Amino acid sequence: MNAVEWIEARSRLRLRPWQRAAVLAMFPEDGSPSRWETFLLSTVKKTGKTTLNAWCTLYAALHFPLGETAYVMANDQEQADENTFTLIVAAVREAGLERSGAAVILSDRVAFAETGTRIITLPADFAGSAGARFGVTSWTELWAYRFEAHVRLWEELTPNPNRRSLRIVDSYAGFAGDAPVLEPLWNRALAGERLSDELPIFANGRLWAYVDQGEEA
């Protein structure tokens, strides 16, 4: 069962073509590590990008090596019903993991006792991230990361070298000159190679991006 099938089997989601493309870019069907490490899902509001981020973070936590850590960055700009950690908790329950005893849900983390894997929510100004080891970091609404502390946090939590490590980002567009983390990432994506004639999917080095913009979006 590939990642798309796993997500659709355990949720009420039926993934759209761009969502399927994103999932399979993160988690190739043959089980090999992805050729990319940072994933940007950027489109307009209410299109399911944060929900997809949540399910992909959960999938990675469950299928990467045992004892993995996933960090979910808490953004003060998020609406309560769109909080990524809240959506991960909902996904854990929908997948039956809490009911079966496989997962324990606490206020700031989900713990999987048998594997030692943890999904931990962190404040956006988290200062103790230097040297952290993790399999996944999950970010939402990156346009709101506009202060120097945010830039430093982003740089500290780059994917770990020499291990399977992903960074998953969802965000709608920010304002030019006011999004020091998102804007360079966005521009780098658009300067890269377009991978699809039908979908606005781009790749540049280890970055994979779905950037849906303009009136069509």
Side-chain angles (χ1 to χ4, degrees), residues 92 95-105 111-115:
V92 168
L97 298 172
E98 183 184 41
R99 184 173 58 253
S100 69
V104 176
I105 298 172
F112 301 89
E114 291 187 5
T115 64

Side-chain angles (χ1 to χ4, degrees), residues 17-154:
W18 74 265
Q19 294 173 315
R20 287 172 171 263
V23 171
L24 293 177
M26 294 181 206
F27 312 108
E29 291 188 84
D30 63 4
S32 64
S34 176
R35 57 183 285 199
W36 300 286
E37 62 183 16
T38 297
F39 295 84
L40 171 62
L41 312 176
S42 186
T43 185
V44 295
K45 294 181 179 181
K46 307 301 181 184
T47 51
K49 59 186 182 297
T50 306
T51 298
L52 184 67
N53 186 337
W55 276 98
C56 288
T57 300
L58 176 59
Y59 181 88
L62 293 174
H63 291 84
F64 279 14
L66 303 185
E68 196 54 272
T69 299
Y71 288 130
V72 180
M73 309 314 298
N75 181 351
D76 292 339
Q77 300 285 344
E78 295 177 69
Q79 297 296 322
D81 61 346
E82 294 180 341
N83 180 286
T84 310
F85 184 71
T86 299
L87 293 173
I88 289 173
V89 168
V92 168
R93 288 173 172 153
E94 193 169 349
L97 298 172
E98 183 184 41
R99 184 173 58 253
S100 69
V104 176
I105 298 172
L106 303 174
S107 61
D108 66 341
R109 67 192 60 204
V110 178
F112 301 89
E114 291 187 5
T115 64
T117 293
R118 305 170 299 164
I119 302 174
I120 302 172
T121 185
L122 296 176
D125 61 352
F126 181 58
S129 59
R133 292 180 58 82
F134 50 84
V136 187
T137 58
S138 172
W139 309 70
T140 196
E141 303 307 358
L142 207 62
W143 63 269
Y145 287 74
R146 56 169 59 96
F147 303 115
E148 178 64 25
H150 293 150
V151 176
R152 292 183 180 182
L153 178 67
W154 173 260

Side-chain angles (χ1 to χ4, degrees), residues 150-164:
H150 293 150
V151 176
R152 292 183 180 182
L153 178 67
W154 173 260
E155 292 173 350
E156 280 291 346
L157 292 179
T158 57
N160 289 170
N162 303 318
R163 64 177 304 182
R164 196 170 185 178

